[in-house]
Structure formats: C-alpha cells, structure tokens
Amino acid sequence: MTNASPPEPPARRGRGPSRRTLLIALTLTAAVGAGGGAAVGLRGHDSTVAVADWVGDGATGVPEPGVTTAPPTPTAATLPASYRVPGAAPRLPWPATGQAHVEVQGIGPVGSSGGQTPRPIASVTKVMTAYVILRDHPLEPGAAGPTLTVTAAEAARYPRERAEGQSLVPVQAGERLTERQALIALLLPSADNVARILARWDAGSIEAFVAKMNATAADLGMRHTRYTDPSGLDAATTSTAADQVRLGHAALRSAALRQIVRLPSATIPVAGTVTNYNRLLGRSGVIGLKTGSMSAAGGCLLFAATRRVDGRTVTIVGAVFGQHGSVLSGLPQALSASERLITAVGAALDTHRVLRAGQPVAMPDGGRVAVPAQDLTVVGWPGLTYRLSTPDGGTVAAVSPAGTATTVRTEPA
C-alpha cells in the first residue's frame, strides 16, 4: 500500500508561504464603575487565556492542517449600572378618596395616592400598641406570656365607655389575662379598654406608654406620625398611609403578632369568643394586619397579603385610609379598596432574568470579564429599577429600592 501524498495547496499569486504568530490574550483585571452610587467591580487577578501559532496563507489567513488555533474571545455583555423591568408601570386601582400606599416587602414601594398628609387613623393605632408591648415583652408564637390583672378602676369604667360607643370587650375587676389573650382582645375585636390596660401594665401609666409609642415611631422613621393615645379613639392621633406601612413591615417581623392578626376568631376570659373585624382574612392571600373605623378617620385598613411568584413567597404591605360613607360603610369601603390593590399588585409581579448563567459579563470601563454561575433573577413589576453592584470579588448583586440584594456567584471567563 502506498501512502497518498497530501494535495497541493492552491497556487499563490506572486507570494510565498508565510507563517504568522497570533497572540490572543484576555487580561482579567479588577474594575470599578459607577452604578447608582454603588461601586461595581469583579474579582481582581490577571489571567492570560491563550497563545497560539497561526500558520496559513499570507493572503487569506486560512490555518494549515494540524495547527492548533486559539479559542475565540468570549463575547461579553457590559454589566450595566442598573436593570429596569421591561414595560410600563402598572396602573393601580387607587381609591377615589382618602389616601393609600403599597409596598412589596424587601423590594420597595409600588406607589401612593391621595398625598401623605397626616390624618386620624382610628384603631390602626393598635398596631403600634401591640408592637411596643411585644418589643418590651417578647412572645414566642402560641406562648401565653406573663399575666396582667384588670384593676377595679378599669372595670368600673366599662359601663361609661360602652355608653360612649367605644369598641370594647367586657372586663371584670381582678380578671387575669395573659399577654397573648390581651393582644387578641386588642387586635381582633379592637378593644379600646384593653389598649389602655396594656399601656398601664407596660409603662405604669397611659401617658408614659404614649411617650414610648412616639419614641418608637421616631426610631422607625415615621416622620409624619403623632400618637396621643394607645387605642386611636382620640382623633389627635394621626399618621399617614406610608408611615403605617413602614410600621407594618416592622410589626410583621414578630412571629407572635403575625400569628395573632391572622386569627379569624379566638376565645378569651369573660368576653368569650371574639371575632376579627378584618373580613379579608383568607381572601386574596390576606394575613392581617388591622382595621380602623370612626367618623373622624373613616374606614381604614393596614394590610398584609402574600403571593407566590415563580416559587417565591412575597408579601404585599399597604394601607388605605379615609374611606368615608356612613359610619357603617367606611370600613367595608376600605376593605374593598384594599382587596382591589392587592389583586392588581399581585398580577403585576413576575420573575425577570437580569443575567443568564454562563453568559460572560464585562465591566463598562473594559475591565475583567466574569461568568455568572447561575441565572440572576429578580421579582418585580414593570418599570421597577434594580441597582446592579458587586459587593465582593465573586458576586454580582441586584439591589432593590428597599435595599434587599439578590446575588449570583461569578467565575473568571
């Protein structure tokens, strides 16, 4: 058997064979870029990808057989300073009167309506009362907690308070309530008298407790809130929807409070079975928080509702205040307006991919290239903007307006 000779190369026109060396190098260096005020950079070491000899026709550069060529340089998209969810911002069904504010926990504000002028908030006030009590006397979910005793003076005031049309539960002198039972009376049937009993038990006097409420509001950044009583019966207790949503986020961190506000009913001493005024519980994902209603405030609701978005649970927190009709219709109006907002916000939420796994990303200033180890996804609504940053050398983070970061690990390209 004879060995076949390799075919002759094509005739060259007036030029001899040439040998060219092509150096293909990708240098990866740390980089810093501007991104909404945040430093952006990736892992900071140098690496050369490949060096290869390229032998071929001097005119066409076609490689000769058997010669190793360099791999192509990865195509890297520039890492932007931010990511905006595509589409127009959702048009929400805001109530025609009063004011409202809605946020998605850990993501940021969706919007507001009606301005944010302080106004009476009625029994929504009791969320702060419960928050201060649970901060001073923490409870595990389901735990009874310490016991408080109704004084003779507190029991004696009940007939007069009832004649005034206050929201109450019956009490007796010497009655013993656990902290959990008192919080149930406070938050489900909205007992004004129990708000005062809890305030006296915690701080020694109602005045001292109200001072705690206002100090706590200041600590939480509730700049437009002023408490004058622990129940909200006093119309001088005023706040805004946005401030109360801020409190709602803080209150939901208490597992004991979350457990209580989602109870449709419960049984306590003397009063027996009490019912939650929040008729949205169990509908539209609603898990609490607190209703309020009186002539000066109209119908009010501070609400929380959960949604599943592509396997993730997100919590919508909002407030609707100042829904006026008759004394009896204001609260149903607030409940209906809140449910419409919850439905609309839930429908607008979706998962969006910011970076694709395996797709190289490069810094805008020509710095190093890295590859996300998995997809970087965020939950949001059209028009929402996430800030992109690199909190350390090996991750890229999408930071929401609320400051929560979703991160993805990266490797050198």
Side-chain angles (χ1 to χ4, degrees), residues 83 85 103-110 378-381 383-387 398-405:
Y83 171 81
V85 176
E103 300 185 0
V104 177
Q105 200 165 67
I107 299 178
V110 185
V378 296
V379 173
W381 53 89
L384 174 69
T385 298
Y386 275 81
R387 175 173 53 85
V399 184
S400 77
T404 300

Side-chain angles (χ1 to χ4, degrees), residues 31 149 181 194 199 216 238 244 301 352:
T149 303
Q181 289 168 338
V194 175
T216 304
T238 57
Q244 290 300 306
L301 181 67
H352 301 271

Side-chain angles (χ1 to χ4, degrees), residues 312-349:
R312 308 183 196 185
T313 298
V314 298
T315 301
I316 302 166
V317 183
V320 171
F321 292 162
Q323 301 305 292
H324 287 278
S326 68
V327 174
L328 297 178
S329 68
L331 180 55
Q333 286 180 211
L335 294 170
S336 296
S338 298
E339 189 168 24
R340 288 192 294 271
L341 285 172
I342 292 165
T343 300
V345 172
L349 291 171

Side-chain angles (χ1 to χ4, degrees), residues 120 226-229 232-239 294:
R226 175 174 176 259
Y227 292 104
T228 60
D229 73 320
L233 181 65
D234 185 358
T237 286
T238 57
S239 187
M294 67 179 188

